Amino acid sequence: MLQVNTKQKTGKSKMKKNKDKEFDKYELYINSVQSPETDVKFLRRVYKELRDKKPETMREDFCGTFALSCEWVKLKKDHKAIGVDLDEEPISYGKEHYFSQLTDEQKGRVEILTANVLDPKLPKADIVQAQNFSYFIFKKREELRDYYKNALKGLKSDGIFVVDCFGGSQCFEPNEEETEHKGYSYFWDQDSFDPVTNEAQFYIHFKRKGEKKREKVFSYDWRMWSIPEVREIMLEAGFKDTAVYWEGTDEDGEGDGEFTRVTKGEDCESWVAYIVGLK
Ligand SMILES: C[S@@+](CC[C@H](N)C(=O)[O-])C[C@H]1O[C@@H](n2cnc3c(N)ncnc32)[C@H](O)[C@@H]1O
């Protein structure tokens, strides 16, 4: 049985010793749940696979610290990225920590907008994508459909819209999972699940070695959307077709990080998948 943790990873940490540095929630976040270098390669591969040509522009909705946008322009010289987020705090962090590391030429290919993903005037892209389940903030079907409609509007011809999704039997009850990293632990805490509304409350906690646990560093008040619901709502929003990419399994029954297009999934305690809407 495939069992994956929700976007947790065990990558090598490049962090300094805790006693030498301030608590940096975004550094621990990216180190625990994001894999921007892998993600941008995946997005490029999926576009090529589905469209038989190469993408150039990628729009990162709910971009937060826009780490993926920075990786996208590093990946190919003709890549351009647009990041969209409402919150200045993660955007400022991204400017200071990731954007500042780009060459001047690469910087010229990144555009960051402090804006709502529902804004109908957002720039168009070959790929519009939303990572880390950010669209789970839309709790009503009409709200999610409006967002998907706007994503579709933001696609160039032959564009694709990519979102991730997670689920599994584990998500139907409160649970907390600890993942140990070098120098700290990451906790993914599902505090509640309401079967009547499918709403669930999640938190991320961190505990650095030798320090007390820092509770609720990030919190998420979400509706758990299922893959068939997402596909149906994409079609209702006007997408011509949808595709699902499901993670393969390694020898230990864990997710192997390789996502391939499927028509059937597997019954799992915990899974992450990608859903693609085709314009
Ligand atoms: C779960 S975080 C995801 C950050 C990043 N995409 C990632 O993969 O880790 C959600 C982000 O969405 C932003 N956000 C929430 N509602 C938004 C909206 N309507 N328009 C734009 N950004 C929004 C928040 O400010 C936050 O940075």
Side-chain angles (χ1 to χ4, degrees):
M1 185 177 70
L2 172 71
Q3 190 183 339
V4 290
N5 293 329
T6 45
K7 287 277 176 101
Q8 298 172 10
K9 58 175 198 170
T10 51
K12 283 181 200 144
S13 165
K14 290 179 190 152
M15 294 188 302
K16 290 183 202 158
K17 283 190 182 144
N18 293 334
K19 64 179 172 50
D20 298 338
K21 57 182 303 194
E22 295 284 304
F23 178 74
D24 179 342
K25 65 177 182 180
Y26 290 115
E27 184 183 12
L28 297 187
Y29 177 85
I30 194 171
N31 202 56
S32 308
V33 308
Q34 287 190 296
S35 309
E37 289 170 32
T38 314
D39 290 344
V40 292
K41 287 182 192 147
F42 170 74
L43 291 169
R44 189 174 161 86
R45 167 169 75 79
V46 168
Y47 185 90
K48 282 164 67 185
E49 203 169 285
L50 295 173
R51 296 307 199 190
D52 204 20
K53 58 182 186 180
K54 294 171 187 166
E56 288 184 358
T57 314
M58 186 276 291
R59 194 176 94 200
E60 184 182 7
D61 280 358
F62 306 97
C63 67
T65 60
F66 64 94
L68 262 78
S69 294
C70 292
E71 285 305 324
W72 182 255
V73 298
K74 278 155 76 179
L75 189 62
K76 295 284 169 190
K77 284 203 155 33
D78 56 358
H79 276 184
K80 297 185 194 84
I82 302 143
V84 182
D85 201 287
L86 275 177
D87 191 352
E88 243 342 300
E89 186 194 283
I91 291 179
S92 301
Y93 182 94
K95 285 182 181 160
E96 197 183 323
H97 291 83
Y98 310 136
F99 185 75
S100 62
Q101 305 298 313
L102 301 178
T103 65
D104 286 345
E105 189 279 323
Q106 288 165 345
K107 284 178 184 164
R109 290 185 280 119
V110 180
E111 183 184 1
I112 300 303
L113 302 170
T114 308
N116 196 316
V117 297
L118 297 171
D119 182 341
K121 294 204 178 81
L122 294 177
K124 287 190 192 297
D126 296 314
I127 301 172
V128 172
Q129 55 100 9
Q131 293 272 338
N132 273 311
F133 329 111
S134 304
Y135 65 93
F136 281 16
I137 57 157
F138 297 120
K139 292 185 174 174
K140 295 207 174 96
R141 196 174 181 98
E142 308 84 68
E143 290 170 355
L144 188 58
R145 192 165 50 223
D146 284 346
Y147 168 54
Y148 287 179
K149 276 185 185 166
N150 206 41
L152 177 62
K153 196 168 175 207
L155 287 175
K156 296 186 180 188
S157 58
D158 285 342
I160 63 167
F161 175 47
V162 184
V163 298
D164 51 8
C165 188
F166 77 98
S169 52
Q170 188 182 293
C171 299
F172 297 120
E173 57 187 15
N175 65 84
E176 182 170 319
E177 271 187 30
E178 177 177 0
T179 308
E180 286 183 19
H181 292 267
K182 199 172 168 193
Y184 77 97
S185 277
Y186 158 86
F187 299 85
W188 177 246
D189 177 8
Q190 176 160 2
D191 195 53
S192 62
F193 176 75
D194 180 343
V196 173
T197 60
N198 266 19
E199 289 181 22
Q201 178 69 47
F202 296 88
Y203 298 106
I204 290 177
H205 319 295
F206 294 111
K207 185 187 176 313
R208 299 203 302 182
K209 222 171 215 164
E211 296 182 358
K212 70 173 179 40
K213 186 172 172 186
R214 291 168 205 254
E215 304 266 356
K216 303 183 181 175
V217 178
F218 293 97
S219 66
Y220 307 102
D221 175 11
W222 281 342
R223 168 163 172 185
M224 303 290 297
W225 291 97
S226 69
I227 292 176
E229 284 172 317
V230 167
R231 298 182 86 176
E232 284 164 13
I233 297 168
M234 281 181 176
L235 294 176
E236 288 165 18
F239 285 91
K240 283 210 183 92
D241 200 1
T242 63
V244 175
Y245 283 74
W246 189 258
E247 193 175 18
T249 314
D250 69 15
E251 291 152 6
D252 304 323
E254 302 284 327
D256 64 2
E258 293 291 322
F259 289 83
T260 49
R261 191 172 176 181
V262 297
T263 50
K264 275 175 84 72
E266 271 175 276
D267 185 17
C268 303
E269 243 175 61
S270 168
W271 52 260
V272 175
Y274 289 93
I275 307 164
V276 184
L278 290 90
K279 185 171 177 165

